[in-house]
Amino acid sequence: MRFPFTFRSLICTFATVMKIFGVGMNYLLHTQELDGRAYRPEEPVIFLKADSALLKNGKPFFIPDWSERVDYEAELVVRISRLGKGIPVRFAHRYYDAVTVGIDFTARDLQQKSRQAGLPWTICKGFDGSAMIGDWQPIPNTAIERGVDFHLDLNGQTVQRGNSTDMLFPIDELISYLSRFFTLKTGDLLFTGTPVGVGPVKIGDHLQGYLGDQCVLDFYCR
């Protein structure tokens, strides 16, 4: 009997699987933007994206035909660099080694229905291609602890601006919190939440994400 995969290819397939964590409602003005009032959640709002959601290297984002509105959400994304479980906040900085700008694409119409019904966000957040990431930058060169500015341009106009110091739950707290429930592994990704200014995309849109004044993300919507 012949199998479609060799043992080596099967191992390689499993080795590429990572967890993609997302954080909702992590900037005060964004909570107001979505819910009409500014508030701080009692605990981080966590969701997961499928590994098939990952999109990188400037590949185009194909807007799904099953949603009436897909929104961009620009975020800082950090890359987990070592195995960890039950990580204290004071040691969390040792568990990520790079940062970039990413887009957490969200099927907003589906999300609104899910939120109203108290249902999970799995489809509206985790669909194929919904986790766009840019080029990685080393953490020592970005000084997250002192604040990292990032912004998103849509067709040449800035539509979102954020800084890591404005997060309701800082990165180290998020990593510590996640590690209570999940074993963090090398290659896992953490989308840390989006600032105010989210909006819909359409075919032909050109999106560019910046860390400071450096463009690390550049792609088109199809």
Side-chain angles (χ1 to χ4, degrees), residues 172-222:
D172 289 0
E173 289 185 24
L174 291 172
I175 287 177
S176 178
Y177 180 82
L178 283 168
S179 73
R180 291 169 54 192
F181 311 101
F182 302 94
T183 298
L184 302 185
K185 297 183 178 182
T186 301
D188 287 351
L189 305 180
L190 173 58
F191 282 68
T192 58
T194 193
V196 69
V198 303
V201 291
K202 63 182 185 302
I203 294 174
D205 280 346
H206 182 200
L207 285 83
Q208 295 172 293
Y210 291 81
L211 282 176
D213 59 1
Q214 182 176 359
C215 183
V216 295
L217 179 66
D218 192 330
F219 69 99
Y220 287 85
C221 295
R222 303 297 188 204

Side-chain angles (χ1 to χ4, degrees), residues 48-141:
L48 287 167
K49 288 176 174 280
D51 60 342
S52 60
L54 187 62
L55 196 61
K56 55 186 178 179
N57 300 325
K59 293 180 179 178
F61 169 70
F62 289 90
I63 301 173
D65 58 8
W66 42 258
S67 175
E68 295 180 359
R69 172 171 170 164
V70 175
D71 282 5
Y72 59 79
E73 296 189 7
E75 317 197 358
L76 289 178
V77 183
V78 295
R79 183 178 65 193
I80 302 301
S81 59
R82 60 191 294 188
L83 187 72
K85 175 73 173 176
I87 304 166
V89 173
R90 67 182 183 276
F91 297 136
H93 66 280
R94 301 178 181 177
Y95 288 82
Y96 55 101
D97 66 351
V99 63
T100 191
V101 174
I103 306 291
D104 166 25
F105 282 109
T106 303
R108 191 68 70 199
D109 52 342
L110 271 65
Q111 186 191 39
Q112 290 174 345
K113 292 178 182 178
S114 296
R115 295 185 72 195
Q116 290 169 0
L119 298 174
W121 296 0
T122 306
I123 293 177
C124 68
K125 287 284 193 179
F127 61 90
D128 287 355
S130 62
M132 173 70 75
I133 60 171
D135 299 327
W136 293 108
Q137 302 299 310
I139 290 293
N141 295 338

